[in-house]
Amino acid sequence: MGSLMSCISGQAPSASPPPVAKRRSSVSSRRGGGGGGAKAVAIDEEALAAAAALVLGQRSSFGGGGGGGGGAFERSASVRYAARRQQQQQGPPLPRSSSTRPRSLADPELHPQQLLAKDLNTKDLETNIIVLVHGGGFGAWCWYKTIALLEDSGFRVNAIDLTGSGIHSYDTNKISSLTQYAEPLTSYLKSLGDNEKVILVGHDFGGACISYAMEMFPSKVAKAVFLCAAMLKNGHSTLDMFQQQMDTNGTLQRAQEFVYSNGKEQPPTAINIEKSLLKDLLFNQSPSKDVSLASVSMRPIPFAPVLEKLVLTEEKYGSVRRFYVETTEDNAIPLHLQQGMCDMNPPEKVLRLKGSDHAPFFSKPQALHKTLVEIATMPPVKAS
């Protein structure tokens, strides 16, 4: 860590995101890229060696504007219009999308009401508000299946776009702290009424963000769900945690791209994942159409928040009920690393999504929904 920290000791100037800012055009430098001198090469190699432990799938696919889009997406036209064509006797129905995969037994197709007890009224729960916090490089768009299922089951759902993510227009390279990155989440929690509570669900790097929010607003968080996420201990950074991830097949190292918006002599400002390796690393069990959605929607992950060590106290962060959801086919945060985090910082309960990759909202949406409902319906712990 010594050489890494000397490389990244200079921080970018702090900046508060303006309400509207044009998306930037940044230059990313690949490992082993052209000139810059011996010092630049050394910085690149040191930063790459440390950040290779990060499992934060991201890719800058916004050419110069436009958003990743929030909210639910409609089904493909080949599915939506097939029945109408048949009714109008205009020939055989259009074929289903080739990306439609057979549904496995681990992720059966169930109607939302089948996933809930028949007599369950979500209004009777401790809270029926679920806040979804995306991982590094993702945005609120990645939750479109989960949002629809939860809302159909009676929950109120809010999917957050963190600073510089999704359709949030701020320049990722200018984010200098976790506080700045998580500001949309903390602003939302701050706006809640005195008696309102929510269930936070954090994916990937979103785990660090919800941990930060739990420390700031413990009275407004009924439960926290870490979905194949960074669940950190006090004094740890996401980088510290993911240095335990040694990508033995080299996929992560090959996939890493660093963005040096301040020049090669300065630390990286963001990280991308090579587009051609997204599926192998993050979406190895996901439908092709969701992989395509991600490939045109993902944005860089800001580097500075990844380095930041969290301050978590037992009185605040420790007072919130925590749950961890494991993903068994995860190539980004392998199961053994997820289990290691749970051993070091035990949650109240560990649940498992069998057959899920690093994007369970794509690969196992029904199973994820059932798991979230199970957690949401767990009764409050009675004071002793």
Side-chain angles (χ1 to χ4, degrees), residues 18 51 88 105 185 253 262 284 297 326 355 357:
Q88 295 175 350
L105 294 177
L185 171 61
Q253 287 88 335
N262 298 324
N284 48 297
S297 304
E326 299 175 342
D357 56 20

Side-chain angles (χ1 to χ4, degrees), residues 170-190:
Y170 193 68
D171 185 350
T172 306
N173 292 286
K174 294 181 179 179
I175 298 173
S176 60
S177 67
L178 184 60
T179 299
Q180 187 180 8
Y181 182 56
E183 191 275 334
L185 171 61
T186 55
S187 290
Y188 169 77
L189 293 175
K190 187 176 181 180

Side-chain angles (χ1 to χ4, degrees), residues 341-359:
M341 288 188 282
C342 292
D343 290 342
M344 291 176 59
N345 189 18
E348 179 177 323
K349 186 173 183 179
V350 177
L351 302 97
R352 177 172 291 188
L353 296 177
K354 295 181 179 180
S356 175
D357 56 20
H358 192 56

Side-chain angles (χ1 to χ4, degrees), residues 19 23 33 41 47 125 137 143 154 198 204 214 220 225-227 250 267-269 278 280 314 318 324 330 354 379-380:
R23 195 158 293 139
V41 173
L125 301 176
W143 300 104
V198 303
D204 187 78
M214 291 157 63
K220 295 185 177 182
V225 183
F226 292 79
L227 178 61
T269 53
L278 277 176
D280 289 344
E314 188 62 28
Y324 199 96
D330 197 324
K354 295 181 179 180

Side-chain angles (χ1 to χ4, degrees), residues 51-66:
L54 302 176
V55 192
L56 308 166
Q58 49 282 115
R59 174 72 182 171
S60 179
S61 300
F62 288 78

Side-chain angles (χ1 to χ4, degrees), residues 51 54 58 256-259 269-273 299-303:
L54 302 176
Q58 49 282 115
Q256 295 283 346
E257 286 184 341
F258 287 87
V259 179
T269 53
I271 312 171
N272 287 324
I273 293 293
R299 294 177 63 184
I301 181 72
F303 198 53

Side-chain angles (χ1 to χ4, degrees), residues 23-284:
R23 195 158 293 139
R24 80 284 178 270
S25 175
S26 60
V27 179
S28 63
S29 300
R30 292 297 308 274
R31 184 180 185 182
K39 184 177 180 181
V41 173
I43 292 175
D44 195 3
E45 290 296 327
E46 290 174 358
L48 181 58
L54 302 176
V55 192
L56 308 166
Q58 49 282 115
R59 174 72 182 171
S60 179
S61 300
F62 288 78
F73 290 79
E74 294 187 323
R75 301 176 69 189
S76 67
S78 63
V79 176
R80 286 187 287 120
Y81 295 112
R84 185 184 303 175
R85 282 173 55 86
Q86 199 166 23
Q87 290 173 0
Q88 295 175 350
Q89 295 183 345
Q90 295 179 356
L94 293 170
R96 294 179 64 88
S97 167
S98 60
S99 62
T100 302
R101 62 187 170 88
R103 186 167 297 278
S104 69
L105 294 177
D107 191 36
E109 184 170 14
L110 300 173
H111 295 294
Q113 56 268 31
Q114 292 179 267
L115 301 175
L116 290 166
K118 291 183 179 180
D119 58 348
L120 174 65
N121 185 345
T122 57
K123 294 181 180 179
D124 295 334
L125 301 176
E126 181 181 12
T127 179
N128 66 350
I129 306 173
I130 297 181
V131 180
L132 304 173
V133 182
H134 62 80
F138 292 85
W141 52 266
C142 73
W143 300 104
Y144 76 96
K145 297 178 183 179
T146 302
I147 292 170
L149 288 168
L150 288 173
E151 287 183 341
D152 285 348
S153 297
F155 290 92
R156 296 163 55 192
V157 186
N158 189 358
I160 300 289
D161 270 325
L162 299 173
T163 304
S165 304
I167 61 173
H168 192 289
S169 61
Y170 193 68
D171 185 350
T172 306
N173 292 286
K174 294 181 179 179
I175 298 173
S176 60
S177 67
L178 184 60
T179 299
Q180 187 180 8
Y181 182 56
E183 191 275 334
L185 171 61
T186 55
S187 290
Y188 169 77
L189 293 175
K190 187 176 181 180
S191 71
L192 294 174
D194 292 339
N195 297 321
E196 282 190 294
K197 290 189 175 186
V198 303
I199 296 172
L200 292 180
V201 181
H203 170 246
D204 187 78
F205 187 34
C209 297
I210 67 171
S211 295
Y212 175 77
M214 291 157 63
E215 180 67 21
M216 288 190 66
F217 301 101
S219 64
K220 295 185 177 182
V221 184
K223 297 167 185 171
V225 183
F226 292 79
L227 178 61
C228 51
M231 187 169 65
L232 307 177
K233 294 184 65 176
N234 177 47
H236 284 210
S237 69
T238 303
L239 180 61
D240 294 334
M241 186 60 66
F242 285 104
Q243 279 182 319
Q244 300 176 51
Q245 152 66 318
M246 303 305 292
D247 186 37
T248 55
N249 63 16
T251 302
L252 185 60
Q253 287 88 335
R254 293 195 307 272
Q256 295 283 346
E257 286 184 341
F258 287 87
V259 179
Y260 295 88
S261 67
N262 298 324
K264 287 276 291 197
E265 294 295 322
Q266 299 297 321
T269 53
I271 312 171
N272 287 324
I273 293 293
E274 169 59 39
K275 189 173 183 178
S276 64
L277 297 175
L278 277 176
K279 182 173 180 64
D280 289 344
L281 187 62
L282 304 174
F283 309 119
N284 48 297

